[in-house]
Amino acid sequence: FTKDQATVDVYLMSNVSAFSSACFLMLSTTLLVLFNTPYTALTLVPLAFFFLRTQRRFRRTMRELKRFDAVTRSPIYSHFGEALEGMPTIRSFRAQPHMTDMNYRDIMNNQRFNYAILALNRWLAVRLELIGSIVVLSAGCFAVLQRQQLGAAALGLTLSQTFSITGLLGFLIRMTAELENAFTAVERINEYTGVPQE
């Protein structure tokens, strides 16, 4: 309950603020690129569908991996606490190798999910880099084709802003996942407040 309350009090508002800022930056960058190179919209529409599908898959998988990580981390802490409590008994029965093996098994089980989380983050980064590269390529090609209508300053501004799209996409996905987790804490607090007092 305390962790959920801290999440709501501390992280929720900062995450909402960061998410709003990222949405505004993404919208303004997209509008700037579309204003200067309108034909870029031909590539942005299919890329938007690809992005949404990637985001949905990432969030669903990350949610499950985080849940498995939390479930497999709990035995590590409980086993450690039990080992500290029962240290004299463990030593008297010379069960240190057995306890070490149990601890090692629990840690390795948890590390499998940590590794999967890292692999999932790399999976996401590759797809976001692909989307960002296609946007930069299309904006660059269409800007060059329209170089007579665009000035050098507008062309440079458009191209420099397209380079930030990859980072903004990654930030948006991560903030969406963080907000989802923070609102889960709000749901748990609402559930706790509905429990009748004893």
PDB file of all heavy atoms in Angstrom, residues 56-84:
ATOM      1  N   ARG A  56       1.676  -1.632 -29.019  1.00  0.00           N
ATOM      2  CA  ARG A  56       0.736  -2.552 -28.368  1.00  0.00           C
ATOM      3  C   ARG A  56       1.437  -3.851 -27.964  1.00  0.00           C
ATOM      4  O   ARG A  56       1.270  -4.330 -26.852  1.00  0.00           O
ATOM      5  CB  ARG A  56      -0.442  -2.820 -29.299  1.00  0.00           C
ATOM      6  CG  ARG A  56      -1.614  -3.456 -28.656  1.00  0.00           C
ATOM      7  CD  ARG A  56      -2.867  -3.514 -29.524  1.00  0.00           C
ATOM      8  NE  ARG A  56      -2.653  -3.614 -30.948  1.00  0.00           N
ATOM      9  CZ  ARG A  56      -2.887  -2.629 -31.831  1.00  0.00           C
ATOM     10  NH1 ARG A  56      -3.321  -1.463 -31.406  1.00  0.00           N
ATOM     11  NH2 ARG A  56      -2.674  -2.798 -33.112  1.00  0.00           N
ATOM     12  N   ARG A  57       2.230  -4.394 -28.862  1.00  0.00           N
ATOM     13  CA  ARG A  57       2.950  -5.639 -28.563  1.00  0.00           C
ATOM     14  C   ARG A  57       3.961  -5.424 -27.442  1.00  0.00           C
ATOM     15  O   ARG A  57       4.108  -6.260 -26.554  1.00  0.00           O
ATOM     16  CB  ARG A  57       3.660  -6.157 -29.804  1.00  0.00           C
ATOM     17  CG  ARG A  57       2.709  -6.658 -30.849  1.00  0.00           C
ATOM     18  CD  ARG A  57       3.418  -7.023 -32.100  1.00  0.00           C
ATOM     19  NE  ARG A  57       3.838  -8.412 -32.028  1.00  0.00           N
ATOM     20  CZ  ARG A  57       4.545  -8.991 -32.968  1.00  0.00           C
ATOM     21  NH1 ARG A  57       4.944  -8.330 -34.025  1.00  0.00           N
ATOM     22  NH2 ARG A  57       4.879 -10.257 -32.837  1.00  0.00           N
ATOM     23  N   PHE A  58       4.678  -4.291 -27.484  1.00  0.00           N
ATOM     24  CA  PHE A  58       5.678  -4.004 -26.457  1.00  0.00           C
ATOM     25  C   PHE A  58       5.036  -3.872 -25.089  1.00  0.00           C
ATOM     26  O   PHE A  58       5.498  -4.476 -24.118  1.00  0.00           O
ATOM     27  CB  PHE A  58       6.437  -2.715 -26.806  1.00  0.00           C
ATOM     28  CG  PHE A  58       7.345  -2.249 -25.706  1.00  0.00           C
ATOM     29  CD1 PHE A  58       8.578  -2.832 -25.519  1.00  0.00           C
ATOM     30  CD2 PHE A  58       6.963  -1.229 -24.844  1.00  0.00           C
ATOM     31  CE1 PHE A  58       9.413  -2.410 -24.499  1.00  0.00           C
ATOM     32  CE2 PHE A  58       7.785  -0.801 -23.828  1.00  0.00           C
ATOM     33  CZ  PHE A  58       9.023  -1.399 -23.659  1.00  0.00           C
ATOM     34  N   ARG A  59       3.968  -3.089 -24.991  1.00  0.00           N
ATOM     35  CA  ARG A  59       3.339  -2.863 -23.691  1.00  0.00           C
ATOM     36  C   ARG A  59       2.766  -4.138 -23.109  1.00  0.00           C
ATOM     37  O   ARG A  59       2.896  -4.400 -21.909  1.00  0.00           O
ATOM     38  CB  ARG A  59       2.247  -1.796 -23.819  1.00  0.00           C
ATOM     39  CG  ARG A  59       2.819  -0.416 -23.972  1.00  0.00           C
ATOM     40  CD  ARG A  59       1.786   0.666 -24.183  1.00  0.00           C
ATOM     41  NE  ARG A  59       0.577   0.461 -23.442  1.00  0.00           N
ATOM     42  CZ  ARG A  59      -0.622   0.787 -23.907  1.00  0.00           C
ATOM     43  NH1 ARG A  59      -0.761   1.291 -25.104  1.00  0.00           N
ATOM     44  NH2 ARG A  59      -1.685   0.592 -23.168  1.00  0.00           N
ATOM     45  N   ARG A  60       2.127  -4.932 -23.954  1.00  0.00           N
ATOM     46  CA  ARG A  60       1.541  -6.193 -23.475  1.00  0.00           C
ATOM     47  C   ARG A  60       2.634  -7.135 -22.965  1.00  0.00           C
ATOM     48  O   ARG A  60       2.526  -7.707 -21.886  1.00  0.00           O
ATOM     49  CB  ARG A  60       0.768  -6.847 -24.614  1.00  0.00           C
ATOM     50  CG  ARG A  60      -0.159  -7.933 -24.218  1.00  0.00           C
ATOM     51  CD  ARG A  60      -0.995  -8.413 -25.380  1.00  0.00           C
ATOM     52  NE  ARG A  60      -0.734  -7.616 -26.571  1.00  0.00           N
ATOM     53  CZ  ARG A  60      -0.961  -8.002 -27.804  1.00  0.00           C
ATOM     54  NH1 ARG A  60      -1.466  -9.166 -28.042  1.00  0.00           N
ATOM     55  NH2 ARG A  60      -0.698  -7.226 -28.837  1.00  0.00           N
ATOM     56  N   THR A  61       3.701  -7.262 -23.723  1.00  0.00           N
ATOM     57  CA  THR A  61       4.794  -8.157 -23.331  1.00  0.00           C
ATOM     58  C   THR A  61       5.530  -7.624 -22.112  1.00  0.00           C
ATOM     59  O   THR A  61       5.858  -8.390 -21.200  1.00  0.00           O
ATOM     60  CB  THR A  61       5.768  -8.350 -24.505  1.00  0.00           C
ATOM     61  OG1 THR A  61       5.031  -8.744 -25.660  1.00  0.00           O
ATOM     62  CG2 THR A  61       6.809  -9.389 -24.195  1.00  0.00           C
ATOM     63  N   MET A  62       5.785  -6.324 -22.070  1.00  0.00           N
ATOM     64  CA  MET A  62       6.499  -5.740 -20.934  1.00  0.00           C
ATOM     65  C   MET A  62       5.687  -5.890 -19.652  1.00  0.00           C
ATOM     66  O   MET A  62       6.244  -6.177 -18.592  1.00  0.00           O
ATOM     67  CB  MET A  62       6.808  -4.270 -21.193  1.00  0.00           C
ATOM     68  CG  MET A  62       7.584  -3.612 -20.070  1.00  0.00           C
ATOM     69  SD  MET A  62       9.189  -4.372 -19.722  1.00  0.00           S
ATOM     70  CE  MET A  62      10.200  -3.535 -20.911  1.00  0.00           C
ATOM     71  N   ARG A  63       4.392  -5.728 -19.732  1.00  0.00           N
ATOM     72  CA  ARG A  63       3.540  -5.881 -18.553  1.00  0.00           C
ATOM     73  C   ARG A  63       3.674  -7.287 -17.978  1.00  0.00           C
ATOM     74  O   ARG A  63       3.837  -7.474 -16.775  1.00  0.00           O
ATOM     75  CB  ARG A  63       2.089  -5.572 -18.928  1.00  0.00           C
ATOM     76  CG  ARG A  63       1.122  -5.626 -17.785  1.00  0.00           C
ATOM     77  CD  ARG A  63      -0.291  -5.208 -18.172  1.00  0.00           C
ATOM     78  NE  ARG A  63      -0.722  -5.673 -19.460  1.00  0.00           N
ATOM     79  CZ  ARG A  63      -1.023  -4.879 -20.492  1.00  0.00           C
ATOM     80  NH1 ARG A  63      -0.948  -3.585 -20.362  1.00  0.00           N
ATOM     81  NH2 ARG A  63      -1.422  -5.385 -21.641  1.00  0.00           N
ATOM     82  N   GLU A  64       3.639  -8.297 -18.842  1.00  0.00           N
ATOM     83  CA  GLU A  64       3.768  -9.682 -18.378  1.00  0.00           C
ATOM     84  C   GLU A  64       5.159  -9.960 -17.832  1.00  0.00           C
ATOM     85  O   GLU A  64       5.309 -10.630 -16.806  1.00  0.00           O
ATOM     86  CB  GLU A  64       3.432 -10.660 -19.510  1.00  0.00           C
ATOM     87  CG  GLU A  64       1.982 -10.655 -19.898  1.00  0.00           C
ATOM     88  CD  GLU A  64       1.069 -11.013 -18.742  1.00  0.00           C
ATOM     89  OE1 GLU A  64       1.351 -11.981 -18.012  1.00  0.00           O
ATOM     90  OE2 GLU A  64       0.054 -10.309 -18.554  1.00  0.00           O
ATOM     91  N   LEU A  65       6.189  -9.449 -18.507  1.00  0.00           N
ATOM     92  CA  LEU A  65       7.551  -9.678 -18.026  1.00  0.00           C
ATOM     93  C   LEU A  65       7.787  -9.011 -16.672  1.00  0.00           C
ATOM     94  O   LEU A  65       8.443  -9.582 -15.798  1.00  0.00           O
ATOM     95  CB  LEU A  65       8.573  -9.186 -19.049  1.00  0.00           C
ATOM     96  CG  LEU A  65       8.739 -10.046 -20.288  1.00  0.00           C
ATOM     97  CD1 LEU A  65       9.686  -9.387 -21.283  1.00  0.00           C
ATOM     98  CD2 LEU A  65       9.232 -11.437 -19.926  1.00  0.00           C
ATOM     99  N   LYS A  66       7.261  -7.816 -16.488  1.00  0.00           N
ATOM    100  CA  LYS A  66       7.393  -7.140 -15.184  1.00  0.00           C
ATOM    101  C   LYS A  66       6.669  -7.936 -14.099  1.00  0.00           C
ATOM    102  O   LYS A  66       7.154  -8.027 -12.971  1.00  0.00           O
ATOM    103  CB  LYS A  66       6.817  -5.721 -15.260  1.00  0.00           C
ATOM    104  CG  LYS A  66       7.625  -4.772 -16.077  1.00  0.00           C
ATOM    105  CD  LYS A  66       8.694  -4.157 -15.255  1.00  0.00           C
ATOM    106  CE  LYS A  66       9.346  -3.036 -16.055  1.00  0.00           C
ATOM    107  NZ  LYS A  66      10.359  -2.371 -15.302  1.00  0.00           N
ATOM    108  N   ARG A  67       5.524  -8.485 -14.453  1.00  0.00           N
ATOM    109  CA  ARG A  67       4.789  -9.296 -13.470  1.00  0.00           C
ATOM    110  C   ARG A  67       5.594 -10.535 -13.101  1.00  0.00           C
ATOM    111  O   ARG A  67       5.754 -10.852 -11.923  1.00  0.00           O
ATOM    112  CB  ARG A  67       3.429  -9.693 -14.049  1.00  0.00           C
ATOM    113  CG  ARG A  67       2.525 -10.390 -13.060  1.00  0.00           C
ATOM    114  CD  ARG A  67       1.146 -10.649 -13.638  1.00  0.00           C
ATOM    115  NE  ARG A  67       1.174 -11.525 -14.785  1.00  0.00           N
ATOM    116  CZ  ARG A  67       1.276 -12.859 -14.703  1.00  0.00           C
ATOM    117  NH1 ARG A  67       1.357 -13.442 -13.528  1.00  0.00           N
ATOM    118  NH2 ARG A  67       1.277 -13.594 -15.784  1.00  0.00           N
ATOM    119  N   PHE A  68       6.154 -11.228 -14.093  1.00  0.00           N
ATOM    120  CA  PHE A  68       6.975 -12.401 -13.804  1.00  0.00           C
ATOM    121  C   PHE A  68       8.225 -12.029 -13.020  1.00  0.00           C
ATOM    122  O   PHE A  68       8.661 -12.772 -12.141  1.00  0.00           O
ATOM    123  CB  PHE A  68       7.377 -13.121 -15.098  1.00  0.00           C
ATOM    124  CG  PHE A  68       6.274 -13.899 -15.729  1.00  0.00           C
ATOM    125  CD1 PHE A  68       6.045 -13.807 -17.084  1.00  0.00           C
ATOM    126  CD2 PHE A  68       5.451 -14.729 -14.976  1.00  0.00           C
ATOM    127  CE1 PHE A  68       5.022 -14.527 -17.681  1.00  0.00           C
ATOM    128  CE2 PHE A  68       4.429 -15.449 -15.556  1.00  0.00           C
ATOM    129  CZ  PHE A  68       4.220 -15.349 -16.925  1.00  0.00           C
ATOM    130  N   ASP A  69       8.800 -10.869 -13.330  1.00  0.00           N
ATOM    131  CA  ASP A  69       9.980 -10.405 -12.595  1.00  0.00           C
ATOM    132  C   ASP A  69       9.641 -10.199 -11.127  1.00  0.00           C
ATOM    133  O   ASP A  69      10.388 -10.615 -10.234  1.00  0.00           O
ATOM    134  CB  ASP A  69      10.493  -9.107 -13.219  1.00  0.00           C
ATOM    135  CG  ASP A  69      11.672  -8.526 -12.465  1.00  0.00           C
ATOM    136  OD1 ASP A  69      12.648  -9.263 -12.219  1.00  0.00           O
ATOM    137  OD2 ASP A  69      11.616  -7.328 -12.125  1.00  0.00           O
ATOM    138  N   ALA A  70       8.507  -9.572 -10.853  1.00  0.00           N
ATOM    139  CA  ALA A  70       8.104  -9.335  -9.465  1.00  0.00           C
ATOM    140  C   ALA A  70       7.808 -10.646  -8.744  1.00  0.00           C
ATOM    141  O   ALA A  70       8.170 -10.822  -7.581  1.00  0.00           O
ATOM    142  CB  ALA A  70       6.880  -8.426  -9.424  1.00  0.00           C
ATOM    143  N   VAL A  71       7.162 -11.583  -9.454  1.00  0.00           N
ATOM    144  CA  VAL A  71       6.814 -12.866  -8.840  1.00  0.00           C
ATOM    145  C   VAL A  71       8.069 -13.672  -8.522  1.00  0.00           C
ATOM    146  O   VAL A  71       8.161 -14.307  -7.471  1.00  0.00           O
ATOM    147  CB  VAL A  71       5.858 -13.664  -9.770  1.00  0.00           C
ATOM    148  CG1 VAL A  71       5.743 -15.108  -9.347  1.00  0.00           C
ATOM    149  CG2 VAL A  71       4.499 -13.005  -9.788  1.00  0.00           C
ATOM    150  N   THR A  72       9.063 -13.638  -9.402  1.00  0.00           N
ATOM    151  CA  THR A  72      10.288 -14.417  -9.155  1.00  0.00           C
ATOM    152  C   THR A  72      11.262 -13.695  -8.232  1.00  0.00           C
ATOM    153  O   THR A  72      12.176 -14.318  -7.710  1.00  0.00           O
ATOM    154  CB  THR A  72      11.002 -14.760 -10.483  1.00  0.00           C
ATOM    155  OG1 THR A  72      11.321 -13.556 -11.178  1.00  0.00           O
ATOM    156  CG2 THR A  72      10.141 -15.649 -11.346  1.00  0.00           C
ATOM    157  N   ARG A  73      11.090 -12.391  -8.018  1.00  0.00           N
ATOM    158  CA  ARG A  73      11.953 -11.670  -7.094  1.00  0.00           C
ATOM    159  C   ARG A  73      11.540 -11.908  -5.649  1.00  0.00           C
ATOM    160  O   ARG A  73      12.371 -11.931  -4.740  1.00  0.00           O
ATOM    161  CB  ARG A  73      11.909 -10.174  -7.400  1.00  0.00           C
ATOM    162  CG  ARG A  73      12.970  -9.399  -6.663  1.00  0.00           C
ATOM    163  CD  ARG A  73      13.001  -7.917  -6.966  1.00  0.00           C
ATOM    164  NE  ARG A  73      12.611  -7.550  -8.299  1.00  0.00           N
ATOM    165  CZ  ARG A  73      11.521  -6.832  -8.588  1.00  0.00           C
ATOM    166  NH1 ARG A  73      10.731  -6.416  -7.625  1.00  0.00           N
ATOM    167  NH2 ARG A  73      11.232  -6.522  -9.824  1.00  0.00           N
ATOM    168  N   SER A  74      10.262 -12.130  -5.422  1.00  0.00           N
ATOM    169  CA  SER A  74       9.752 -12.327  -4.070  1.00  0.00           C
ATOM    170  C   SER A  74      10.407 -13.511  -3.353  1.00  0.00           C
ATOM    171  O   SER A  74      10.796 -13.375  -2.184  1.00  0.00           O
ATOM    172  CB  SER A  74       8.239 -12.485  -4.129  1.00  0.00           C
ATOM    173  OG  SER A  74       7.718 -12.682  -2.856  1.00  0.00           O
ATOM    174  N   PRO A  75      10.585 -14.687  -3.992  1.00  0.00           N
ATOM    175  CA  PRO A  75      11.249 -15.791  -3.284  1.00  0.00           C
ATOM    176  C   PRO A  75      12.692 -15.488  -2.900  1.00  0.00           C
ATOM    177  O   PRO A  75      13.184 -16.005  -1.896  1.00  0.00           O
ATOM    178  CB  PRO A  75      11.194 -16.957  -4.277  1.00  0.00           C
ATOM    179  CG  PRO A  75      10.094 -16.637  -5.204  1.00  0.00           C
ATOM    180  CD  PRO A  75      10.023 -15.144  -5.264  1.00  0.00           C
ATOM    181  N   ILE A  76      13.356 -14.645  -3.655  1.00  0.00           N
ATOM    182  CA  ILE A  76      14.744 -14.284  -3.317  1.00  0.00           C
ATOM    183  C   ILE A  76      14.778 -13.574  -1.979  1.00  0.00           C
ATOM    184  O   ILE A  76      15.569 -13.918  -1.090  1.00  0.00           O
ATOM    185  CB  ILE A  76      15.364 -13.399  -4.424  1.00  0.00           C
ATOM    186  CG1 ILE A  76      15.484 -14.180  -5.726  1.00  0.00           C
ATOM    187  CG2 ILE A  76      16.732 -12.875  -3.995  1.00  0.00           C
ATOM    188  CD1 ILE A  76      15.871 -13.335  -6.919  1.00  0.00           C
ATOM    189  N   TYR A  77      13.901 -12.591  -1.814  1.00  0.00           N
ATOM    190  CA  TYR A  77      13.875 -11.832  -0.565  1.00  0.00           C
ATOM    191  C   TYR A  77      13.399 -12.691   0.607  1.00  0.00           C
ATOM    192  O   TYR A  77      13.968 -12.617   1.708  1.00  0.00           O
ATOM    193  CB  TYR A  77      12.992 -10.593  -0.700  1.00  0.00           C
ATOM    194  CG  TYR A  77      13.571  -9.555  -1.618  1.00  0.00           C
ATOM    195  CD1 TYR A  77      12.828  -9.034  -2.676  1.00  0.00           C
ATOM    196  CD2 TYR A  77      14.867  -9.084  -1.440  1.00  0.00           C
ATOM    197  CE1 TYR A  77      13.363  -8.078  -3.512  1.00  0.00           C
ATOM    198  CE2 TYR A  77      15.406  -8.130  -2.277  1.00  0.00           C
ATOM    199  CZ  TYR A  77      14.656  -7.634  -3.312  1.00  0.00           C
ATOM    200  OH  TYR A  77      15.180  -6.690  -4.139  1.00  0.00           O
ATOM    201  N   SER A  78      12.383 -13.495   0.380  1.00  0.00           N
ATOM    202  CA  SER A  78      11.892 -14.317   1.485  1.00  0.00           C
ATOM    203  C   SER A  78      12.926 -15.373   1.872  1.00  0.00           C
ATOM    204  O   SER A  78      13.133 -15.641   3.058  1.00  0.00           O
ATOM    205  CB  SER A  78      10.559 -14.966   1.127  1.00  0.00           C
ATOM    206  OG  SER A  78      10.714 -15.916   0.108  1.00  0.00           O
ATOM    207  N   HIS A  79      13.601 -15.961   0.882  1.00  0.00           N
ATOM    208  CA  HIS A  79      14.631 -16.954   1.172  1.00  0.00           C
ATOM    209  C   HIS A  79      15.795 -16.329   1.922  1.00  0.00           C
ATOM    210  O   HIS A  79      16.353 -16.920   2.858  1.00  0.00           O
ATOM    211  CB  HIS A  79      15.122 -17.598  -0.138  1.00  0.00           C
ATOM    212  CG  HIS A  79      16.100 -18.681   0.069  1.00  0.00           C
ATOM    213  ND1 HIS A  79      17.452 -18.492  -0.096  1.00  0.00           N
ATOM    214  CD2 HIS A  79      15.940 -19.969   0.442  1.00  0.00           C
ATOM    215  CE1 HIS A  79      18.079 -19.627   0.155  1.00  0.00           C
ATOM    216  NE2 HIS A  79      17.189 -20.531   0.488  1.00  0.00           N
ATOM    217  N   PHE A  80      16.156 -15.115   1.539  1.00  0.00           N
ATOM    218  CA  PHE A  80      17.247 -14.418   2.213  1.00  0.00           C
ATOM    219  C   PHE A  80      16.878 -14.130   3.666  1.00  0.00           C
ATOM    220  O   PHE A  80      17.681 -14.349   4.586  1.00  0.00           O
ATOM    221  CB  PHE A  80      17.572 -13.113   1.479  1.00  0.00           C
ATOM    222  CG  PHE A  80      18.720 -12.362   2.070  1.00  0.00           C
ATOM    223  CD1 PHE A  80      20.018 -12.837   1.938  1.00  0.00           C
ATOM    224  CD2 PHE A  80      18.510 -11.186   2.760  1.00  0.00           C
ATOM    225  CE1 PHE A  80      21.083 -12.145   2.482  1.00  0.00           C
ATOM    226  CE2 PHE A  80      19.565 -10.488   3.314  1.00  0.00           C
ATOM    227  CZ  PHE A  80      20.858 -10.966   3.173  1.00  0.00           C
ATOM    228  N   GLY A  81      15.650 -13.660   3.889  1.00  0.00           N
ATOM    229  CA  GLY A  81      15.200 -13.393   5.258  1.00  0.00           C
ATOM    230  C   GLY A  81      15.154 -14.657   6.103  1.00  0.00           C
ATOM    231  O   GLY A  81      15.554 -14.655   7.268  1.00  0.00           O
ATOM    232  N   GLU A  82      14.677 -15.744   5.501  1.00  0.00           N
ATOM    233  CA  GLU A  82      14.631 -17.019   6.227  1.00  0.00           C
ATOM    234  C   GLU A  82      16.032 -17.517   6.555  1.00  0.00           C
ATOM    235  O   GLU A  82      16.268 -18.069   7.633  1.00  0.00           O
ATOM    236  CB  GLU A  82      13.889 -18.068   5.394  1.00  0.00           C
ATOM    237  CG  GLU A  82      12.404 -17.802   5.268  1.00  0.00           C
ATOM    238  CD  GLU A  82      11.752 -18.694   4.218  1.00  0.00           C
ATOM    239  OE1 GLU A  82      12.460 -19.537   3.609  1.00  0.00           O
ATOM    240  OE2 GLU A  82      10.547 -18.541   4.000  1.00  0.00           O
ATOM    241  N   ALA A  83      16.961 -17.309   5.620  1.00  0.00           N
ATOM    242  CA  ALA A  83      18.341 -17.752   5.859  1.00  0.00           C
ATOM    243  C   ALA A  83      18.981 -16.964   6.992  1.00  0.00           C
ATOM    244  O   ALA A  83      19.712 -17.524   7.817  1.00  0.00           O
ATOM    245  CB  ALA A  83      19.169 -17.614   4.585  1.00  0.00           C
ATOM    246  N   LEU A  84      18.699 -15.672   7.056  1.00  0.00           N
ATOM    247  CA  LEU A  84      19.245 -14.864   8.145  1.00  0.00           C
ATOM    248  C   LEU A  84      18.659 -15.289   9.486  1.00  0.00           C
ATOM    249  O   LEU A  84      19.375 -15.366  10.493  1.00  0.00           O
ATOM    250  CB  LEU A  84      18.977 -13.378   7.907  1.00  0.00           C
ATOM    251  CG  LEU A  84      19.805 -12.716   6.816  1.00  0.00           C
ATOM    252  CD1 LEU A  84      19.398 -11.259   6.677  1.00  0.00           C
ATOM    253  CD2 LEU A  84      21.288 -12.823   7.102  1.00  0.00           C
TER     254      LEU A  84
END
